[in-house]
Amino acid sequence: MTFYAEAPDEALAAHFGDPYAEQKALEAGSAVVARSNRGVVRVAGPDRLSWLHSLLTQHLAGLRPGEAAEALLLSPNGHLEHHLSLVDDGEAVWAHVEPGTAPALAAFLERMKFLLRVEVADVSGEYEVVTGAGLEGERALPDVAGMTSLIVPRGTEVADRSPAGIWAYEALRIAAHKARFGLDTDHKTIPHEIGFIDTAVHLDKGCYRGQETVARVHNLGRPPRRLVFLHLDGSADRLPARGSDLELDGRRVGFVGSAARHHELGPIALALVKRNVPVEAQLTADGVAAAQEVVVSPDTGANVTIDPALRGRRL
């Protein structure tokens, strides 16, 4: 019997009868999860890499065929709008994105073409994403927990692999402390808050939309919130609801993102919490007791030291 997941993965199987066994099989490389609701965008043309380099947060100008990367499209104020996992196959850049977001991403890119030699297409109807350990292919991208994701034509079967549900993948993702755009973020999220500054942002590249905010926080400021990993009270008979309040002594200090039951760690979750919340504080996630583990340090950012003697002086 197939059990279906909740939004935004409601089109996918949550599990096929034993979520814990499916997690172990994914880790061992004997299972694969079909993430067929992921959007897929293809960008072809000789100017594709330099063009995407100018728009996204990652250094893409010299991306080699078969090389994968993560990148973000930010708002002018530096807030996350899209998270792309992408790879170039020598003829085109292929990117997979969160469910339902490919049309908006493709439309934005189409508007930004001007006279450049690029072709943008939302190919979600023809291609899908499959994920598992040890997968290989020309459009392979590293994923969490040692797994690989492949962008393949729809209906492609992976030989000698049993199916795993999305709950198994999500449990491994959360345990790997990897935030997911749209689940562990909100409309105010900036890259520093969720650790994307280390994986999806190149700090020494040229101008791109939202760069001013990234540079200001990295050099002079601190992000207002930080990603935490939560070990949840195993005696509770439920997981915290996504978006529910994260509290300290009855006071709201953040919100819960993804939650899952892990085959070794038990109930776990990711959350965004105010930066100044003590790292050792015991929290409550939607009424469930939660111990936090630091993912993003409260000291993130402010990498430039200004001599106090120079403050207020005109140079």
Short mmCIF file of all heavy atoms in Angstrom, two decimals, residues 32 49 52 109 172 174 226 269 283:
data_model
loop_
_atom_site.label_atom_id
_atom_site.label_comp_id
_atom_site.label_asym_id
_atom_site.label_seq_id
_atom_site.Cartn_x
_atom_site.Cartn_y
_atom_site.Cartn_z
N VAL A 32 15.93 3.79 -4.17
CA VAL A 32 15.93 5.08 -4.85
C VAL A 32 14.59 5.75 -4.59
O VAL A 32 13.56 5.07 -4.48
CB VAL A 32 16.19 4.92 -6.36
CG1 VAL A 32 15.05 4.16 -7.03
CG2 VAL A 32 16.42 6.26 -7.04
N LEU A 49 26.53 30.21 -19.34
CA LEU A 49 27.26 30.22 -18.08
C LEU A 49 27.57 31.64 -17.61
O LEU A 49 27.38 31.97 -16.43
CB LEU A 49 28.54 29.39 -18.21
CG LEU A 49 28.33 27.89 -18.37
CD1 LEU A 49 29.66 27.18 -18.59
CD2 LEU A 49 27.62 27.30 -17.16
N LEU A 52 24.16 33.23 -16.46
CA LEU A 52 23.71 32.77 -15.15
C LEU A 52 24.65 33.25 -14.05
O LEU A 52 24.22 33.56 -12.93
CB LEU A 52 23.62 31.24 -15.13
CG LEU A 52 22.48 30.64 -15.96
CD1 LEU A 52 22.61 29.12 -16.00
CD2 LEU A 52 21.12 31.04 -15.40
N LEU A 109 13.88 34.25 -15.89
CA LEU A 109 15.05 34.13 -16.75
C LEU A 109 14.75 34.57 -18.18
O LEU A 109 15.58 35.21 -18.83
CB LEU A 109 15.55 32.68 -16.73
CG LEU A 109 16.10 32.17 -15.40
CD1 LEU A 109 16.46 30.69 -15.50
CD2 LEU A 109 17.31 32.98 -14.94
N LEU A 172 16.64 11.82 6.14
CA LEU A 172 18.08 11.89 5.95
C LEU A 172 18.54 13.32 5.69
O LEU A 172 19.62 13.73 6.13
CB LEU A 172 18.49 10.98 4.79
CG LEU A 172 18.18 9.49 4.96
CD1 LEU A 172 18.67 8.70 3.76
CD2 LEU A 172 18.79 8.93 6.25
N ILE A 174 17.09 16.12 6.84
CA ILE A 174 17.04 16.86 8.11
C ILE A 174 18.21 16.46 9.00
O ILE A 174 18.85 17.31 9.63
CB ILE A 174 15.69 16.63 8.79
CG1 ILE A 174 14.56 17.23 7.94
CG2 ILE A 174 15.67 17.23 10.20
CD1 ILE A 174 13.17 16.80 8.38
N ARG A 226 19.07 32.18 12.94
CA ARG A 226 20.02 31.12 12.63
C ARG A 226 19.29 29.78 12.57
O ARG A 226 18.32 29.56 13.31
CB ARG A 226 21.15 31.07 13.66
CG ARG A 226 20.67 30.89 15.09
CD ARG A 226 21.83 30.97 16.09
NE ARG A 226 21.35 30.85 17.47
CZ ARG A 226 21.16 29.70 18.10
NH1 ARG A 226 21.41 28.56 17.48
NH2 ARG A 226 20.74 29.67 19.34
N ALA A 269 13.97 17.77 13.83
CA ALA A 269 13.41 18.87 13.05
C ALA A 269 14.48 19.91 12.79
O ALA A 269 15.55 19.91 13.41
CB ALA A 269 12.23 19.51 13.80
N LEU A 283 14.11 24.39 24.24
CA LEU A 283 13.02 25.05 23.55
C LEU A 283 11.78 24.16 23.50
O LEU A 283 11.83 22.98 23.82
CB LEU A 283 13.46 25.42 22.12
CG LEU A 283 14.75 26.24 22.02
CD1 LEU A 283 15.15 26.40 20.55
CD2 LEU A 283 14.59 27.60 22.68
#
